[in-house]
mmCIF file of all heavy atoms in Angstrom:
data_model
loop_
_atom_site.group_PDB
_atom_site.id
_atom_site.type_symbol
_atom_site.label_atom_id
_atom_site.label_comp_id
_atom_site.label_asym_id
_atom_site.label_seq_id
_atom_site.Cartn_x
_atom_site.Cartn_y
_atom_site.Cartn_z
ATOM 1 N N LEU A 242 57.059 26.678 -29.112
ATOM 2 C CA LEU A 242 57.994 27.304 -28.168
ATOM 3 C C LEU A 242 57.347 28.421 -27.413
ATOM 4 O O LEU A 242 57.632 28.677 -26.271
ATOM 5 C CB LEU A 242 59.226 27.811 -28.924
ATOM 6 C CG LEU A 242 60.085 26.764 -29.591
ATOM 7 C CD1 LEU A 242 61.170 27.437 -30.462
ATOM 8 C CD2 LEU A 242 60.734 25.856 -28.577
ATOM 9 N N PHE A 243 56.425 29.150 -28.073
ATOM 10 C CA PHE A 243 55.716 30.275 -27.420
ATOM 11 C C PHE A 243 54.641 29.757 -26.484
ATOM 12 O O PHE A 243 54.382 30.390 -25.475
ATOM 13 C CB PHE A 243 55.172 31.213 -28.463
ATOM 14 C CG PHE A 243 56.174 31.812 -29.348
ATOM 15 C CD1 PHE A 243 56.340 31.348 -30.670
ATOM 16 C CD2 PHE A 243 57.022 32.814 -28.892
ATOM 17 C CE1 PHE A 243 57.284 31.953 -31.481
ATOM 18 C CE2 PHE A 243 57.979 33.370 -29.735
ATOM 19 C CZ PHE A 243 58.127 32.876 -31.031
ATOM 20 N N VAL A 244 53.999 28.688 -26.847
ATOM 21 C CA VAL A 244 52.932 28.137 -26.044
ATOM 22 C C VAL A 244 53.470 27.320 -24.849
ATOM 23 O O VAL A 244 53.047 27.520 -23.688
ATOM 24 C CB VAL A 244 51.964 27.266 -26.878
ATOM 25 C CG1 VAL A 244 50.875 26.672 -26.022
ATOM 26 C CG2 VAL A 244 51.364 28.091 -28.010
ATOM 27 N N LEU A 245 54.391 26.427 -25.107
ATOM 28 C CA LEU A 245 54.913 25.524 -24.040
ATOM 29 C C LEU A 245 56.313 25.909 -23.529
ATOM 30 O O LEU A 245 56.746 25.368 -22.530
ATOM 31 C CB LEU A 245 54.965 24.093 -24.579
ATOM 32 C CG LEU A 245 53.649 23.468 -25.057
ATOM 33 C CD1 LEU A 245 53.883 22.064 -25.564
ATOM 34 C CD2 LEU A 245 52.617 23.511 -23.933
ATOM 35 N N GLY A 246 57.029 26.793 -24.276
ATOM 36 C CA GLY A 246 58.342 27.174 -23.839
ATOM 37 C C GLY A 246 59.452 26.240 -24.248
ATOM 38 O O GLY A 246 60.605 26.481 -23.955
ATOM 39 N N GLN A 247 59.081 25.142 -24.946
ATOM 40 C CA GLN A 247 60.068 24.143 -25.332
ATOM 41 C C GLN A 247 59.467 23.198 -26.359
ATOM 42 O O GLN A 247 58.254 23.235 -26.588
ATOM 43 C CB GLN A 247 60.510 23.335 -24.115
ATOM 44 C CG GLN A 247 59.348 22.562 -23.492
ATOM 45 C CD GLN A 247 59.767 21.691 -22.322
ATOM 46 O OE1 GLN A 247 60.824 21.099 -22.377
ATOM 47 N NE2 GLN A 247 58.923 21.601 -21.297
ATOM 48 N N TYR A 248 60.307 22.381 -26.948
ATOM 49 C CA TYR A 248 59.835 21.201 -27.709
ATOM 50 C C TYR A 248 60.065 20.028 -26.776
ATOM 51 O O TYR A 248 61.156 19.457 -26.769
ATOM 52 C CB TYR A 248 60.635 21.011 -28.994
ATOM 53 C CG TYR A 248 60.498 22.047 -30.050
ATOM 54 C CD1 TYR A 248 61.644 22.701 -30.525
ATOM 55 C CD2 TYR A 248 59.269 22.341 -30.598
ATOM 56 C CE1 TYR A 248 61.550 23.649 -31.533
ATOM 57 C CE2 TYR A 248 59.161 23.303 -31.608
ATOM 58 C CZ TYR A 248 60.311 23.925 -32.088
ATOM 59 O OH TYR A 248 60.197 24.862 -33.067
ATOM 60 N N PRO A 249 59.124 19.646 -25.995
ATOM 61 C CA PRO A 249 59.380 18.530 -25.055
ATOM 62 C C PRO A 249 59.535 17.196 -25.761
ATOM 63 O O PRO A 249 59.045 16.993 -26.886
ATOM 64 C CB PRO A 249 58.113 18.531 -24.166
ATOM 65 C CG PRO A 249 57.074 19.238 -24.951
ATOM 66 C CD PRO A 249 57.772 20.137 -25.916
ATOM 67 N N LYS A 250 60.306 16.330 -25.159
ATOM 68 C CA LYS A 250 60.539 14.979 -25.717
ATOM 69 C C LYS A 250 59.207 14.230 -25.824
ATOM 70 O O LYS A 250 58.970 13.467 -26.718
ATOM 71 C CB LYS A 250 61.540 14.235 -24.832
ATOM 72 C CG LYS A 250 61.832 12.816 -25.255
ATOM 73 C CD LYS A 250 62.710 12.762 -26.475
ATOM 74 C CE LYS A 250 63.072 11.322 -26.791
ATOM 75 N NZ LYS A 250 63.250 11.093 -28.179
ATOM 76 N N TYR A 251 58.332 14.438 -24.821
ATOM 77 C CA TYR A 251 57.015 13.745 -24.812
ATOM 78 C C TYR A 251 55.939 14.801 -24.609
ATOM 79 O O TYR A 251 56.105 15.757 -23.833
ATOM 80 C CB TYR A 251 56.957 12.756 -23.659
ATOM 81 C CG TYR A 251 57.975 11.649 -23.781
ATOM 82 C CD1 TYR A 251 59.181 11.747 -23.153
ATOM 83 C CD2 TYR A 251 57.722 10.517 -24.547
ATOM 84 C CE1 TYR A 251 60.158 10.738 -23.245
ATOM 85 C CE2 TYR A 251 58.635 9.503 -24.655
ATOM 86 C CZ TYR A 251 59.874 9.652 -23.999
ATOM 87 O OH TYR A 251 60.796 8.640 -24.133
ATOM 88 N N LEU A 252 54.870 14.613 -25.249
ATOM 89 C CA LEU A 252 53.604 15.354 -24.997
ATOM 90 C C LEU A 252 52.534 14.363 -24.694
ATOM 91 O O LEU A 252 52.345 13.375 -25.452
ATOM 92 C CB LEU A 252 53.224 16.193 -26.259
ATOM 93 C CG LEU A 252 54.032 17.399 -26.533
ATOM 94 C CD1 LEU A 252 53.711 17.940 -27.926
ATOM 95 C CD2 LEU A 252 53.825 18.481 -25.471
ATOM 96 N N TYR A 253 51.831 14.611 -23.626
ATOM 97 C CA TYR A 253 50.690 13.726 -23.270
ATOM 98 C C TYR A 253 49.411 14.554 -23.541
ATOM 99 O O TYR A 253 49.321 15.694 -23.035
ATOM 100 C CB TYR A 253 50.782 13.282 -21.832
ATOM 101 C CG TYR A 253 52.033 12.415 -21.618
ATOM 102 C CD1 TYR A 253 53.239 13.009 -21.256
ATOM 103 C CD2 TYR A 253 52.002 11.083 -21.853
ATOM 104 C CE1 TYR A 253 54.408 12.225 -21.117
ATOM 105 C CE2 TYR A 253 53.119 10.290 -21.702
ATOM 106 C CZ TYR A 253 54.335 10.864 -21.348
ATOM 107 O OH TYR A 253 55.454 10.108 -21.220
ATOM 108 N N VAL A 254 48.525 14.011 -24.321
ATOM 109 C CA VAL A 254 47.393 14.763 -24.850
ATOM 110 C C VAL A 254 46.102 14.016 -24.553
ATOM 111 O O VAL A 254 45.982 12.784 -24.714
ATOM 112 C CB VAL A 254 47.518 14.965 -26.386
ATOM 113 C CG1 VAL A 254 46.330 15.662 -26.962
ATOM 114 C CG2 VAL A 254 48.810 15.716 -26.670
ATOM 115 N N LYS A 255 45.087 14.802 -24.081
ATOM 116 C CA LYS A 255 43.774 14.209 -23.830
ATOM 117 C C LYS A 255 42.714 15.260 -24.234
ATOM 118 O O LYS A 255 42.844 16.396 -23.944
ATOM 119 C CB LYS A 255 43.653 13.867 -22.340
ATOM 120 C CG LYS A 255 42.297 13.347 -21.902
ATOM 121 C CD LYS A 255 42.265 12.918 -20.478
ATOM 122 C CE LYS A 255 42.144 14.098 -19.554
ATOM 123 N NZ LYS A 255 41.816 13.739 -18.167
ATOM 124 N N LYS A 256 41.687 14.729 -24.836
ATOM 125 C CA LYS A 256 40.546 15.578 -25.135
ATOM 126 C C LYS A 256 39.931 16.068 -23.846
ATOM 127 O O LYS A 256 39.736 15.256 -22.931
ATOM 128 C CB LYS A 256 39.542 14.726 -25.974
ATOM 129 C CG LYS A 256 38.326 15.434 -26.372
ATOM 130 C CD LYS A 256 37.459 14.458 -27.207
ATOM 131 C CE LYS A 256 36.141 14.972 -27.575
ATOM 132 N NZ LYS A 256 35.410 14.053 -28.426
#
Side-chain angles (χ1 to χ4, degrees):
L242 296 172
F243 299 104
V244 177
L245 301 178
Q247 62 176 323
Y248 293 123
K250 178 76 176 148
Y251 299 94
L252 287 169
Y253 298 90
V254 177
K255 176 175 80 169
K256 180 177 174 177

